[in-house]
Amino acid sequence: MNAAKTLISLSLATLLTACAHHNNVRPSDSGEHYVKLTAQTKSEAGNEALKQSKHFCDEQDKKAYVLNENITYVGSMPEEAYLQNLNIASAVETAGTVLWVLGENAVDDVGAAMSIGGGIAEDSMGQPYELVMSFTCR
């Protein structure tokens, strides 16, 4: 009985995650579809939009073609300050990870704290880039 419940649970989880590959796509009857999402960086936004549009069109055995793309910074601090803080947090996280892995005694504890703290700092800055992309499937 437990094996059957586990199998059903895993099947449901697989189905639910399979449908989420293009959750930001806004389909249209006209054939011009939209992706609207936010991300931490411009490149993350662009990559995610392309991935979702490709998956959406793949389900129709078609290929995605981008018609228009607009990325806007909507953060609460100036963009230059945001990017500087993001780079600092990333550097602290990376340095901390190296110390955590290679350090001994108190050094690896400090590294763990730096790595975790840098990751938290990155996450706390949110996703200030908003992307709207239109595409078609052919």
Side-chain angles (χ1 to χ4, degrees):
M1 187 70 159
N2 279 340
K5 285 183 181 180
T6 302
L7 183 61
I8 291 171
S9 296
L10 288 173
S11 298
L12 272 171
T14 302
L15 285 174
L16 290 174
T17 56
C19 298
H21 292 309
H22 55 265
N23 54 332
N24 298 107
V25 170
R26 309 303 199 269
S28 168
D29 283 343
S30 70
E32 184 174 335
H33 313 293
Y34 295 88
V35 175
K36 184 174 182 179
L37 54 84
T38 59
Q40 194 170 47
T41 65
K42 287 180 181 182
S43 62
E44 285 178 18
N47 290 338
E48 182 62 24
L50 288 173
K51 186 172 87 173
Q52 289 191 30
S53 62
K54 182 181 180 322
H55 184 267
F56 180 81
C57 292
D58 282 351
E59 286 188 339
Q60 303 168 39
D61 292 323
K62 295 180 179 180
K63 188 174 178 181
Y65 292 91
V66 175
L67 302 172
N68 189 18
E69 179 181 279
N70 185 28
I71 299 175
T72 308
Y73 177 76
V74 294
S76 58
M77 69 176 77
E79 185 175 16
E80 187 175 312
Y82 167 76
L83 292 171
Q84 184 177 17
N85 290 341
L86 184 63
N87 286 336
I88 290 169
S90 180
V92 168
E93 182 180 17
T94 301
T97 300
V98 169
L99 290 174
W100 193 359
V101 171
L102 301 178
E104 293 181 16
N105 301 325
V107 173
D108 65 343
D109 293 340
V110 170
M114 287 174 61
S115 180
I116 293 167
I120 291 170
E122 280 183 344
D123 290 343
S124 72
M125 286 188 271
Q127 298 182 327
Y129 289 100
E130 182 177 86
L131 177 138
V132 177
M133 183 183 85
S134 61
F135 68 97
T136 187
C137 301
R138 293 188 217 149

